[in-house]
Amino acid sequence: MLLEDLGWDPAWAYHADELGESEWVPGRLATVDRGLVVALTAEGERTAEWRFPVPVAGEADGVMPAVGDWGMMSMASDPGRLVSILPRRTLLARGLAVGSQVTQPLAANVDLVLIVTGLDRDFSLRRIERFLALARSGSARAAVVLSKCDLAVDPDAAVGRARKSAVDLTALAVSSATGAGLAELRQEIGAGRTAVLVGSSGAGKSTLINRLLGEERQRTGAVRSSDDRGRHVTTRRELLPLPGGGLVIDTPG
């Protein structure tokens, strides 16, 4: 895989060169667990250990790594060691507690936040507005994906309601079951861009990603018949390259 397929560009290369460590390997963080990351590199997947805080190139303070970060790794040992994070362009994060100044990073260097809500009984304008606020706080563009449109009586009316949440907001009605709207969704993500899917459990995020990937990569679960809500089948965030270009980040509900 070429680094450019993962979003690498001359600006990232400049930050990496400024570190002056030619043997360090750049990689896009695909998963972040306690003390361990998996990064996508030009040579494939690489595993590296990390300790908080990880230094940020050119900045005084260190950070907690996030899925989507560009990291520099020393591979002198196995596993390697995450030694630096390149400066972030966007960051989605949430406070760990009410009023807390400490944040938990959700996804870094995201171009597009796809707010997924189901057109069964999962549809909620208030939830859409909360995720819009999250996207704005992270300096990322947002779009609404109305999943399960095959179950809706009038999906066009739901698209119209969603668009009232913000000026010029893109809203797409899609169906993983029939394939409706998936071509438009792929075009919205685009080559070389990173999109993160957010939404409640049971909204259909992982099923959509499986359709975009063309394989059953992400675990999916049934929803409750009483309220159409699902279990938290996705338990961690993961960055996944799409066939034909573009990347998506799946997130827990």
Side-chain angles (χ1 to χ4, degrees):
M1 178 174 291
L2 298 175
L3 288 180
E4 288 75 13
D5 295 331
L6 301 172
W8 188 257
D9 61 28
W12 295 120
Y14 170 81
H15 288 301
D17 290 342
E18 285 290 291
L19 293 170
E21 298 287 347
S22 60
E23 294 187 0
W24 288 358
V25 176
R28 191 89 189 264
L29 303 193
T31 63
V32 177
D33 294 307
R34 183 175 298 180
L36 206 65
V37 300
V38 173
L40 305 180
T41 76
E43 289 77 34
E45 291 188 357
R46 294 291 183 268
T47 303
E49 297 175 329
W50 66 276
R51 290 185 179 181
F52 178 81
V54 180
V56 178
E59 299 181 12
D61 297 329
V63 298
M64 182 182 297
V67 171
D69 270 326
W70 279 102
M72 301 298 293
M73 294 165 291
S74 169
M75 303 308 297
S77 58
D78 186 18
R81 183 167 57 92
L82 179 64
V83 289
S84 182
I85 298 291
L86 300 185
R88 292 162 170 166
R89 295 178 182 172
T90 63
L91 176 67
L92 299 186
R94 64 185 175 201
L96 295 178
V98 175
S100 174
Q101 297 300 312
V102 180
T103 59
Q104 176 186 359
L106 302 179
N109 303 315
V110 168
D111 302 297
L112 178 64
V113 178
L114 295 174
I115 303 168
V116 183
T117 187
L119 288 182
D120 39 21
R121 279 176 281 180
D122 179 59
F123 186 85
S124 168
L125 282 177
R126 292 187 64 184
R127 187 185 304 116
I128 290 172
E129 290 166 356
R130 288 199 298 271
F131 281 120
L132 282 173
L134 176 69
R136 292 190 192 103
S137 68
S139 302
R141 189 173 75 84
V144 175
V145 178
L146 302 173
S147 63
K148 309 178 187 180
C149 70
D150 56 296
L151 302 179
V153 175
D154 191 350
D156 290 338
V159 168
R161 290 177 61 198
R163 286 175 177 164
K164 293 179 180 179
S165 300
V167 177
D168 298 328
L169 179 66
T170 298
L172 303 172
V174 304
S175 170
S176 296
T178 67
L182 291 181
E184 291 82 357
L185 180 57
R186 290 188 181 95
Q187 186 175 7
E188 189 69 24
I189 297 170
R193 302 175 66 198
T194 302
V196 58
L197 278 70
V198 298
S200 61
S201 296
K205 301 185 299 296
S206 296
T207 304
L208 276 175
I209 286 178
N210 285 340
R211 289 301 302 269
L212 293 171
L213 290 171
E215 61 176 306
E216 296 297 314
R217 169 71 180 266
Q218 301 300 87
R219 290 182 59 203
T220 60
V223 297
R224 297 189 297 255
S225 59
S226 59
D227 59 5
D228 289 313
R229 299 297 295 276
R231 294 183 300 108
H232 295 277
V233 177
T234 299
T235 57
R236 66 174 181 175
R237 287 167 284 279
E238 184 175 6
L239 177 76
L240 300 162
L242 295 177
L247 305 102
V248 292
I249 298 175
D250 195 7
T251 64

